[in-house]
Amino acid sequence: MAASAEQARGLFGVGVRAALEAWPALQIAVENSFGGVHSREKALWLGGVVEDYFLQNADLEQEEVEDFLSDIMSTEFDTLIEDGSLPQVSQQLQTMFRYCQRGEEPLLRQFITQLGQKQLEVRAMATEVQAVDQTQDAVSDEEGRLDGGAEEMEVTESRESSAQPCGSQAGPSATTSLTTVGPEAAEDGWIVIRRKKK
């Protein structure tokens, strides 16, 4: 009987890791390095911590497990879970722990298999979210570079009137980064533009 209990505990550890790997919020946090450069290591560490938490506290309430997971996600991954997944993950962990306590290995194995199938879907989704984030970051960086020149410009009016000389252009296409428009205007009404000195 002791060997079976030991097997069930080992299987529970496998189940904990499967539940965490099937948790979209955690996988997105890991894929996007919300926990820093060691996000993957933290996710592995989390599996052991959750397993120990259950083994050291036999009669946990769902809210206690939710609070425990929420605190770790906030502290280690700088992530607030607001997608409603905490109750679901907590319930999965508690179900597996009950199976472990009762020695119901076949049910525990079946549950882990189901989580494994969900894992594949979650990994694909987390990778997709990461790709979308990287695309949005690239677009934001490009917009920042385009806007960056306009923000660093100093423009002064050379005349009181708002009329522009013939041939001059208005708008962003005429702007040059790091330029100064001085009050000197040529006799023919053209404005002299000089680069700003650093």
Side-chain angles (χ1 to χ4, degrees), residues 118-195:
K118 186 176 177 187
Q119 249 177 304
L120 298 174
E121 296 168 13
V122 168
R123 282 190 185 149
M125 182 184 69
T127 304
E128 186 177 306
V129 167
Q130 181 185 20
V132 168
D133 283 349
Q134 288 173 350
T135 302
Q136 288 175 345
D137 288 346
V139 169
S140 295
D141 289 347
E142 186 62 29
E143 288 173 353
R145 275 187 244 121
L146 293 175
D147 291 344
E151 291 175 359
E152 296 173 1
M153 287 183 58
E154 291 178 23
V155 178
T156 56
E157 289 287 327
S158 63
R159 292 182 234 144
E160 293 294 315
S161 83
S162 61
Q164 295 181 352
C166 182
S168 68
Q169 296 180 355
S173 61
T175 61
T176 306
S177 64
L178 299 174
T179 60
T180 302
V181 179
E184 323 76 36
E187 292 176 5
D188 58 355
W190 291 92
I191 299 172
V192 178
I193 301 176
R194 295 195 180 108
R195 288 215 173 263

Side-chain angles (χ1 to χ4, degrees), residues 58-188:
D59 1 325
L60 291 168
E61 296 293 324
Q62 184 171 337
E63 292 79 25
E64 292 174 306
V65 178
E66 288 176 30
D67 289 345
F68 179 74
L69 291 173
S70 178
D71 287 346
I72 289 178
M73 289 299 290
S74 177
T75 305
E76 298 298 329
F77 294 96
D78 198 25
T79 303
L80 296 175
I81 308 299
E82 297 177 338
D83 64 351
S85 64
L86 277 171
Q88 180 184 9
V89 173
S90 299
Q91 187 177 20
Q92 290 171 346
L93 293 169
Q94 287 186 303
T95 299
M96 288 187 295
F97 190 64
R98 276 194 305 273
Y99 290 158
C100 173
Q101 286 178 318
R102 295 179 194 151
E104 297 174 340
E105 276 187 58
L107 289 174
L108 185 54
R109 287 182 191 281
Q110 182 182 8
F111 198 85
I112 292 170
T113 302
Q114 291 170 351
L115 287 173
Q117 292 167 351
K118 186 176 177 187
Q119 249 177 304
L120 298 174
E121 296 168 13
V122 168
R123 282 190 185 149
M125 182 184 69
T127 304
E128 186 177 306
V129 167
Q130 181 185 20
V132 168
D133 283 349
Q134 288 173 350
T135 302
Q136 288 175 345
D137 288 346
V139 169
S140 295
D141 289 347
E142 186 62 29
E143 288 173 353
R145 275 187 244 121
L146 293 175
D147 291 344
E151 291 175 359
E152 296 173 1
M153 287 183 58
E154 291 178 23
V155 178
T156 56
E157 289 287 327
S158 63
R159 292 182 234 144
E160 293 294 315
S161 83
S162 61
Q164 295 181 352
C166 182
S168 68
Q169 296 180 355
S173 61
T175 61
T176 306
S177 64
L178 299 174
T179 60
T180 302
V181 179
E184 323 76 36
E187 292 176 5
D188 58 355

Side-chain angles (χ1 to χ4, degrees), residues 13-43:
V14 171
V16 167
R17 285 164 187 75
L20 295 177
E21 289 175 9
W23 187 15
L26 176 61
Q27 295 312 309
I28 290 170
V30 169
E31 288 296 323
N32 291 286
S33 300
F34 292 171
V37 295
H38 300 291
S39 291
R40 292 201 187 284
E41 291 82 5
K42 287 181 179 183

